[in-house]
């Protein structure tokens, strides 16, 4: 995979359907590429902070991604957990779409502290 200042190309934009998630690995980091119900693409750390579970296998609803194993919901824009049992956020990564290709930069966007 090619790496540029935008990050690494991970998939085609068409590979991620509305309200679906796709697991990719970028620079050795598991990432869930998610298209929310409005069609916007997001990239989050793919491992639930409550357990070693792939979030990409979970459920996308509006602007959240729910862990299929324990039900914790994470906000797509901040990585903040909205429901227990998770209480730590997952990292959020910048997403760029160029000519139909999705690029992920593994420099995390800073998430707000958990209240």
């Amino acid at each position: 995979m090619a790496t540029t200042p935008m990050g690494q190309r991970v998939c085609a934009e068409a590979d991620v359907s509305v309200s679906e998630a796709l697991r990719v690995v970028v620079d050795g980091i598991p990432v869930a590429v998610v298209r929310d119900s409005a069609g916007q693409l997001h990239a989050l750390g793919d491992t639930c902070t409550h357990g070693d579970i792939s979030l990409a296998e979970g459920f996308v609803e509006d602007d959240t991604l729910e862990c299929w194993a324990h039900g914790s919901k994470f906000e797509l824009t901040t990585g903040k957990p909205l429901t227990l049992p998770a209480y730590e956020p997952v990292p959020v990564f910048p997403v760029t779409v160029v000519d139909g290709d999705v690029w992920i930069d593994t420099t995390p966007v800073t998430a707000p502290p958990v209240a």
Side-chain angles (χ1 to χ4, degrees):
M1 291 185 182
T3 301
T4 71
M6 295 180 296
Q8 189 174 84
R9 182 198 178 278
V10 296
C11 64
E13 187 177 14
D15 291 341
V16 187
S17 300
V18 171
S19 297
E20 295 289 330
L22 174 70
R23 183 182 189 274
V24 298
V25 177
V26 184
D27 297 330
I29 300 168
V31 175
V33 180
V34 183
R35 189 180 297 269
D36 64 23
S37 60
Q40 182 71 33
L41 286 170
H42 305 271
L44 310 159
D46 185 50
T47 306
C48 180
T49 56
H50 174 254
D52 192 20
I53 302 293
S54 171
L55 290 174
E57 296 176 20
F59 312 101
V60 179
E61 185 177 327
D62 298 325
D63 62 349
T64 64
L65 179 57
E66 180 179 345
C67 177
W68 65 268
H70 301 110
S72 291
K73 287 186 180 182
F74 295 88
E75 191 173 70
L76 295 175
T77 56
T78 66
K80 179 181 176 181
L82 301 175
T83 58
L84 295 173
Y87 58 89
E88 293 289 328
V90 293
V92 175
F93 305 106
V95 177
T96 305
V97 177
V98 177
D99 297 328
D101 291 325
V102 178
W103 296 75
I104 304 292
D105 179 352
T106 55
T107 305
V109 174
T110 304
V114 177

PDB file of all heavy atoms in Angstrom, residues 2-4 7 15 20 22 30 35 39 45 47 49 62 64 69 72 80-81 92-93 99-100 105 113:
ATOM      1  N   ALA A   2       0.471   2.222  -0.779  1.00  0.00           N
ATOM      2  CA  ALA A   2       1.224   3.462  -0.872  1.00  0.00           C
ATOM      3  C   ALA A   2       0.979   4.332   0.350  1.00  0.00           C
ATOM      4  O   ALA A   2      -0.116   4.370   0.893  1.00  0.00           O
ATOM      5  CB  ALA A   2       0.809   4.211  -2.126  1.00  0.00           C
ATOM      6  N   THR A   3       2.039   5.046   0.782  1.00  0.00           N
ATOM      7  CA  THR A   3       1.923   5.971   1.893  1.00  0.00           C
ATOM      8  C   THR A   3       2.302   7.364   1.404  1.00  0.00           C
ATOM      9  O   THR A   3       3.292   7.524   0.703  1.00  0.00           O
ATOM     10  CB  THR A   3       2.834   5.558   3.063  1.00  0.00           C
ATOM     11  OG1 THR A   3       2.461   4.257   3.481  1.00  0.00           O
ATOM     12  CG2 THR A   3       2.708   6.498   4.235  1.00  0.00           C
ATOM     13  N   THR A   4       1.507   8.369   1.758  1.00  0.00           N
ATOM     14  CA  THR A   4       1.738   9.756   1.364  1.00  0.00           C
ATOM     15  C   THR A   4       1.497  10.628   2.591  1.00  0.00           C
ATOM     16  O   THR A   4       1.125  10.113   3.653  1.00  0.00           O
ATOM     17  CB  THR A   4       0.773  10.182   0.245  1.00  0.00           C
ATOM     18  OG1 THR A   4      -0.535  10.299   0.795  1.00  0.00           O
ATOM     19  CG2 THR A   4       0.771   9.207  -0.913  1.00  0.00           C
ATOM     20  N   GLY A   7      -1.528   9.856   4.437  1.00  0.00           N
ATOM     21  CA  GLY A   7      -1.582   8.575   5.127  1.00  0.00           C
ATOM     22  C   GLY A   7      -1.403   7.442   4.155  1.00  0.00           C
ATOM     23  O   GLY A   7      -0.587   7.509   3.239  1.00  0.00           O
ATOM     24  N   ASP A  15     -16.156   0.621  -1.305  1.00  0.00           N
ATOM     25  CA  ASP A  15     -16.034  -0.599  -0.496  1.00  0.00           C
ATOM     26  C   ASP A  15     -16.757  -0.504   0.844  1.00  0.00           C
ATOM     27  O   ASP A  15     -16.951  -1.518   1.513  1.00  0.00           O
ATOM     28  CB  ASP A  15     -14.558  -0.929  -0.224  1.00  0.00           C
ATOM     29  CG  ASP A  15     -13.800  -1.366  -1.465  1.00  0.00           C
ATOM     30  OD1 ASP A  15     -14.459  -1.769  -2.455  1.00  0.00           O
ATOM     31  OD2 ASP A  15     -12.558  -1.296  -1.443  1.00  0.00           O
ATOM     32  N   GLU A  20     -22.290   0.799   7.455  1.00  0.00           N
ATOM     33  CA  GLU A  20     -21.426  -0.383   7.522  1.00  0.00           C
ATOM     34  C   GLU A  20     -20.031   0.025   7.956  1.00  0.00           C
ATOM     35  O   GLU A  20     -19.662   1.201   7.900  1.00  0.00           O
ATOM     36  CB  GLU A  20     -21.349  -1.074   6.153  1.00  0.00           C
ATOM     37  CG  GLU A  20     -22.656  -1.648   5.662  1.00  0.00           C
ATOM     38  CD  GLU A  20     -23.110  -2.871   6.437  1.00  0.00           C
ATOM     39  OE1 GLU A  20     -22.249  -3.619   6.934  1.00  0.00           O
ATOM     40  OE2 GLU A  20     -24.329  -3.073   6.556  1.00  0.00           O
ATOM     41  N   LEU A  22     -15.726  -1.399   7.856  1.00  0.00           N
ATOM     42  CA  LEU A  22     -14.742  -2.272   7.225  1.00  0.00           C
ATOM     43  C   LEU A  22     -13.469  -2.225   8.049  1.00  0.00           C
ATOM     44  O   LEU A  22     -12.984  -1.143   8.378  1.00  0.00           O
ATOM     45  CB  LEU A  22     -14.468  -1.787   5.795  1.00  0.00           C
ATOM     46  CG  LEU A  22     -13.361  -2.483   5.014  1.00  0.00           C
ATOM     47  CD1 LEU A  22     -13.784  -3.906   4.666  1.00  0.00           C
ATOM     48  CD2 LEU A  22     -13.029  -1.690   3.758  1.00  0.00           C
ATOM     49  N   PRO A  30      -4.994  -1.707  13.761  1.00  0.00           N
ATOM     50  CA  PRO A  30      -6.331  -2.063  13.274  1.00  0.00           C
ATOM     51  C   PRO A  30      -7.249  -0.837  13.314  1.00  0.00           C
ATOM     52  O   PRO A  30      -7.333  -0.152  14.331  1.00  0.00           O
ATOM     53  CB  PRO A  30      -6.818  -3.138  14.240  1.00  0.00           C
ATOM     54  CG  PRO A  30      -5.707  -3.421  15.172  1.00  0.00           C
ATOM     55  CD  PRO A  30      -4.671  -2.371  15.019  1.00  0.00           C
ATOM     56  N   ARG A  35     -18.937   4.138   7.475  1.00  0.00           N
ATOM     57  CA  ARG A  35     -19.780   5.125   6.794  1.00  0.00           C
ATOM     58  C   ARG A  35     -21.061   5.250   7.616  1.00  0.00           C
ATOM     59  O   ARG A  35     -21.808   4.287   7.781  1.00  0.00           O
ATOM     60  CB  ARG A  35     -20.093   4.697   5.365  1.00  0.00           C
ATOM     61  CG  ARG A  35     -20.780   5.806   4.570  1.00  0.00           C
ATOM     62  CD  ARG A  35     -21.100   5.399   3.152  1.00  0.00           C
ATOM     63  NE  ARG A  35     -19.942   5.106   2.351  1.00  0.00           N
ATOM     64  CZ  ARG A  35     -19.276   5.995   1.597  1.00  0.00           C
ATOM     65  NH1 ARG A  35     -19.654   7.251   1.600  1.00  0.00           N
ATOM     66  NH2 ARG A  35     -18.256   5.612   0.861  1.00  0.00           N
ATOM     67  N   GLY A  39     -23.821   9.013   5.234  1.00  0.00           N
ATOM     68  CA  GLY A  39     -22.880   8.768   4.151  1.00  0.00           C
ATOM     69  C   GLY A  39     -21.479   9.269   4.394  1.00  0.00           C
ATOM     70  O   GLY A  39     -20.599   9.105   3.553  1.00  0.00           O
ATOM     71  N   GLY A  45     -10.103   3.538  15.943  1.00  0.00           N
ATOM     72  CA  GLY A  45      -9.392   2.343  16.363  1.00  0.00           C
ATOM     73  C   GLY A  45     -10.374   1.186  16.372  1.00  0.00           C
ATOM     74  O   GLY A  45     -11.500   1.331  16.848  1.00  0.00           O
ATOM     75  N   THR A  47     -10.351  -1.700  17.926  1.00  0.00           N
ATOM     76  CA  THR A  47     -10.431  -2.574  19.103  1.00  0.00           C
ATOM     77  C   THR A  47     -11.223  -1.897  20.212  1.00  0.00           C
ATOM     78  O   THR A  47     -10.861  -0.813  20.678  1.00  0.00           O
ATOM     79  CB  THR A  47      -9.022  -2.930  19.608  1.00  0.00           C
ATOM     80  OG1 THR A  47      -8.276  -3.480  18.521  1.00  0.00           O
ATOM     81  CG2 THR A  47      -9.082  -3.944  20.742  1.00  0.00           C
ATOM     82  N   THR A  49     -12.416  -0.760  23.684  1.00  0.00           N
ATOM     83  CA  THR A  49     -11.604  -0.523  24.879  1.00  0.00           C
ATOM     84  C   THR A  49     -12.067  -1.335  26.077  1.00  0.00           C
ATOM     85  O   THR A  49     -11.387  -1.365  27.096  1.00  0.00           O
ATOM     86  CB  THR A  49     -11.593   0.977  25.241  1.00  0.00           C
ATOM     87  OG1 THR A  49     -12.946   1.439  25.404  1.00  0.00           O
ATOM     88  CG2 THR A  49     -10.898   1.789  24.162  1.00  0.00           C
ATOM     89  N   ASP A  62     -26.756   5.632  12.966  1.00  0.00           N
ATOM     90  CA  ASP A  62     -26.601   7.091  12.886  1.00  0.00           C
ATOM     91  C   ASP A  62     -25.115   7.451  12.948  1.00  0.00           C
ATOM     92  O   ASP A  62     -24.385   7.156  12.032  1.00  0.00           O
ATOM     93  CB  ASP A  62     -27.419   7.787  13.971  1.00  0.00           C
ATOM     94  CG  ASP A  62     -28.911   7.530  13.818  1.00  0.00           C
ATOM     95  OD1 ASP A  62     -29.377   7.431  12.670  1.00  0.00           O
ATOM     96  OD2 ASP A  62     -29.600   7.408  14.845  1.00  0.00           O
ATOM     97  N   THR A  64     -22.942   6.418  15.481  1.00  0.00           N
ATOM     98  CA  THR A  64     -22.280   5.578  16.487  1.00  0.00           C
ATOM     99  C   THR A  64     -21.906   4.216  15.901  1.00  0.00           C
ATOM    100  O   THR A  64     -22.481   3.768  14.910  1.00  0.00           O
ATOM    101  CB  THR A  64     -23.178   5.328  17.720  1.00  0.00           C
ATOM    102  OG1 THR A  64     -24.333   4.588  17.326  1.00  0.00           O
ATOM    103  CG2 THR A  64     -23.580   6.635  18.386  1.00  0.00           C
ATOM    104  N   ALA A  69     -20.158  -7.455  20.945  1.00  0.00           N
ATOM    105  CA  ALA A  69     -20.024  -8.395  22.065  1.00  0.00           C
ATOM    106  C   ALA A  69     -20.615  -7.882  23.374  1.00  0.00           C
ATOM    107  O   ALA A  69     -21.249  -8.646  24.102  1.00  0.00           O
ATOM    108  CB  ALA A  69     -18.553  -8.742  22.280  1.00  0.00           C
ATOM    109  N   SER A  72     -21.237  -1.690  24.021  1.00  0.00           N
ATOM    110  CA  SER A  72     -20.747  -0.309  24.156  1.00  0.00           C
ATOM    111  C   SER A  72     -20.865   0.404  22.817  1.00  0.00           C
ATOM    112  O   SER A  72     -20.511  -0.152  21.779  1.00  0.00           O
ATOM    113  CB  SER A  72     -19.291  -0.285  24.608  1.00  0.00           C
ATOM    114  OG  SER A  72     -19.179  -0.739  25.926  1.00  0.00           O
ATOM    115  N   LYS A  80     -15.535   8.726  21.657  1.00  0.00           N
ATOM    116  CA  LYS A  80     -16.020   8.679  23.042  1.00  0.00           C
ATOM    117  C   LYS A  80     -17.052   7.570  23.220  1.00  0.00           C
ATOM    118  O   LYS A  80     -17.974   7.436  22.419  1.00  0.00           O
ATOM    119  CB  LYS A  80     -16.643  10.026  23.391  1.00  0.00           C
ATOM    120  CG  LYS A  80     -17.210  10.114  24.786  1.00  0.00           C
ATOM    121  CD  LYS A  80     -17.821  11.485  25.031  1.00  0.00           C
ATOM    122  CE  LYS A  80     -18.484  11.538  26.402  1.00  0.00           C
ATOM    123  NZ  LYS A  80     -19.095  12.844  26.644  1.00  0.00           N
ATOM    124  N   PRO A  81     -16.908   6.759  24.298  1.00  0.00           N
ATOM    125  CA  PRO A  81     -17.934   5.753  24.572  1.00  0.00           C
ATOM    126  C   PRO A  81     -19.193   6.427  25.121  1.00  0.00           C
ATOM    127  O   PRO A  81     -19.110   7.297  25.979  1.00  0.00           O
ATOM    128  CB  PRO A  81     -17.289   4.852  25.628  1.00  0.00           C
ATOM    129  CG  PRO A  81     -16.300   5.736  26.316  1.00  0.00           C
ATOM    130  CD  PRO A  81     -15.828   6.727  25.287  1.00  0.00           C
ATOM    131  N   VAL A  92      -9.490   8.270  17.077  1.00  0.00           N
ATOM    132  CA  VAL A  92     -10.129   8.676  15.832  1.00  0.00           C
ATOM    133  C   VAL A  92      -9.020   9.160  14.902  1.00  0.00           C
ATOM    134  O   VAL A  92      -8.133   9.900  15.324  1.00  0.00           O
ATOM    135  CB  VAL A  92     -11.155   9.799  16.085  1.00  0.00           C
ATOM    136  CG1 VAL A  92     -11.736  10.318  14.783  1.00  0.00           C
ATOM    137  CG2 VAL A  92     -12.259   9.305  16.995  1.00  0.00           C
ATOM    138  N   PHE A  93      -9.064   8.732  13.638  1.00  0.00           N
ATOM    139  CA  PHE A  93      -8.015   9.063  12.680  1.00  0.00           C
ATOM    140  C   PHE A  93      -8.575   9.896  11.531  1.00  0.00           C
ATOM    141  O   PHE A  93      -9.724   9.712  11.125  1.00  0.00           O
ATOM    142  CB  PHE A  93      -7.394   7.772  12.113  1.00  0.00           C
ATOM    143  CG  PHE A  93      -6.880   6.846  13.171  1.00  0.00           C
ATOM    144  CD1 PHE A  93      -7.568   5.690  13.490  1.00  0.00           C
ATOM    145  CD2 PHE A  93      -5.711   7.121  13.855  1.00  0.00           C
ATOM    146  CE1 PHE A  93      -7.097   4.817  14.463  1.00  0.00           C
ATOM    147  CE2 PHE A  93      -5.231   6.269  14.834  1.00  0.00           C
ATOM    148  CZ  PHE A  93      -5.928   5.113  15.139  1.00  0.00           C
ATOM    149  N   ASP A  99     -10.154  10.929  -5.451  1.00  0.00           N
ATOM    150  CA  ASP A  99     -10.459  10.152  -6.654  1.00  0.00           C
ATOM    151  C   ASP A  99     -11.064   8.785  -6.330  1.00  0.00           C
ATOM    152  O   ASP A  99     -10.715   7.777  -6.940  1.00  0.00           O
ATOM    153  CB  ASP A  99      -9.208   9.974  -7.516  1.00  0.00           C
ATOM    154  CG  ASP A  99      -8.667  11.292  -8.035  1.00  0.00           C
ATOM    155  OD1 ASP A  99      -9.477  12.212  -8.279  1.00  0.00           O
ATOM    156  OD2 ASP A  99      -7.437  11.410  -8.190  1.00  0.00           O
ATOM    157  N   GLY A 100     -11.959   8.749  -5.321  1.00  0.00           N
ATOM    158  CA  GLY A 100     -12.642   7.505  -4.976  1.00  0.00           C
ATOM    159  C   GLY A 100     -11.861   6.571  -4.085  1.00  0.00           C
ATOM    160  O   GLY A 100     -12.335   5.477  -3.765  1.00  0.00           O
ATOM    161  N   ASP A 105      -4.743   8.522   7.884  1.00  0.00           N
ATOM    162  CA  ASP A 105      -3.526   8.962   8.581  1.00  0.00           C
ATOM    163  C   ASP A 105      -3.628   8.413   9.995  1.00  0.00           C
ATOM    164  O   ASP A 105      -4.625   8.652  10.687  1.00  0.00           O
ATOM    165  CB  ASP A 105      -3.477  10.484   8.586  1.00  0.00           C
ATOM    166  CG  ASP A 105      -2.262  11.049   9.319  1.00  0.00           C
ATOM    167  OD1 ASP A 105      -1.515  10.279   9.959  1.00  0.00           O
ATOM    168  OD2 ASP A 105      -2.086  12.269   9.262  1.00  0.00           O
ATOM    169  N   PRO A 113     -11.723  14.622  26.682  1.00  0.00           N
ATOM    170  CA  PRO A 113     -11.669  13.720  27.839  1.00  0.00           C
ATOM    171  C   PRO A 113     -13.042  13.137  28.155  1.00  0.00           C
ATOM    172  O   PRO A 113     -14.061  13.783  27.908  1.00  0.00           O
ATOM    173  CB  PRO A 113     -11.183  14.598  29.000  1.00  0.00           C
ATOM    174  CG  PRO A 113     -11.282  15.990  28.516  1.00  0.00           C
ATOM    175  CD  PRO A 113     -11.394  15.991  27.022  1.00  0.00           C
TER     176      PRO A 113
END
